[in-house]
Amino acid sequence: MSNEAVAAKSRSMAVPLAIVALSGRLLRAEHRAIQALMFLLAALILLNVITRYAGHPIYWIDESAVYSVVWLTFIGASAMTRMRLDFAVTMLTERFSERGVAIFRIIATLGVILFGIALGVMCWLWLDPVGIAQAGFDAREYAGQSFNFIYTERTQTLNWPTWVIYLIMPLFAVSMTLHALANLFEDLDLVARQELPGFAANADGVVN
């Protein structure tokens, strides 16, 4: 193989390798975030029990626990995508040959990528960062022009801007798409299947 061919192959592999590496770093960050959110959720529930038993309940704990569960769910779902631990129905694929299973795994991964892209587009239209920037980041001005009140709403007890809570949606869309791309490159044998330290591996024969 000539030097030009080797260089061209190296350039073509640069993007898949970079995406897989970025997915791995993101997965490790998600692992730490999941641990932190689980600790936070347990602490909030314990604090809620203690304060209610003492007759002095803290009114914002329930809402905090709900938002912790929401973020934990989406971050966990993103991590499960990379680990191939998402739900799968195998009644059909378990009757296929090894090649057939590999083809359907690629099709399923492409479906995840399309869903992630569609979710990202929906979040872009919903949050409309261009529109709020054109309004000078004035939430009231933007709401009056667009009738989109996402930047004027606040949570009931914490009094946080709701758009801060909703940021998990576009973050999930990006992370899930990135993990699905990494899975696709592995399924296409463009990169070697990566070891995921600290996580359980899924069964190889499952299409997900």
Side-chain angles (χ1 to χ4, degrees):
M1 183 179 294
S2 64
N3 293 334
E4 292 80 4
V6 172
K9 183 177 180 180
S10 299
R11 287 193 297 270
S12 66
M13 293 297 296
V15 172
L17 289 173
I19 289 179
V20 170
L22 182 58
S23 173
R25 288 193 291 270
L26 176 60
L27 183 61
R28 287 189 288 272
E30 288 173 338
H31 187 201
R32 290 190 290 270
I34 290 170
Q35 291 176 326
L37 285 169
M38 290 181 68
F39 176 81
L40 175 61
L41 181 60
L44 287 171
I45 293 174
L46 180 61
L47 180 61
N48 195 24
V49 171
I50 293 174
T51 55
R52 287 181 180 273
Y53 182 78
H56 299 284
I58 302 176
Y59 65 94
W60 50 262
I61 290 183
D62 289 338
E63 190 174 53
S64 301
V66 169
Y67 293 143
S68 298
V69 170
V70 170
W71 276 68
L72 179 61
T73 300
F74 279 102
I75 295 175
S78 174
M80 287 173 64
T81 299
R82 182 65 180 101
M83 295 184 292
R84 304 173 186 269
L85 292 174
D86 43 343
F87 294 102
V89 179
T90 61
M91 291 187 297
L92 179 62
T93 56
E94 65 187 5
R95 293 173 171 78
F96 290 169
S97 64
E98 183 177 348
R99 177 176 174 79
V101 170
I103 292 173
F104 271 82
R105 181 181 291 116
I106 292 173
I107 294 173
T109 305
L110 287 172
V112 175
I113 293 173
L114 291 176
F115 175 78
I117 293 173
L119 181 61
V121 172
M122 184 200 74
C123 291
W124 180 270
L125 297 175
W126 178 35
L127 297 173
D128 192 13
V130 176
I132 187 65
Q134 291 176 343
F137 297 99
D138 187 329
R140 294 184 181 276
E141 178 69 18
Y142 172 73
Q145 293 176 357
S146 65
F147 295 97
N148 185 348
F149 298 94
I150 186 173
Y151 294 106
T152 60
E153 297 176 348
R154 305 186 75 85
T155 59
Q156 293 181 354
T157 60
L158 293 170
N159 199 30
W160 290 356
T162 56
W163 66 267
V164 174
I165 307 298
Y166 296 150
L167 278 179
I168 189 58
M169 296 292 291
L171 291 175
F172 172 67
V174 173
S175 62
M176 181 178 61
T177 303
L178 179 65
H179 288 324
L181 283 171
N183 289 343
L184 179 63
F185 293 142
E186 289 181 352
D187 294 338
L188 293 174
D189 293 328
L190 296 178
V191 296
R193 188 174 291 270
Q194 304 294 304
E195 294 291 335
L196 304 177
F199 297 105
N202 196 15
D204 292 336
V206 175
V207 177
N208 55 3

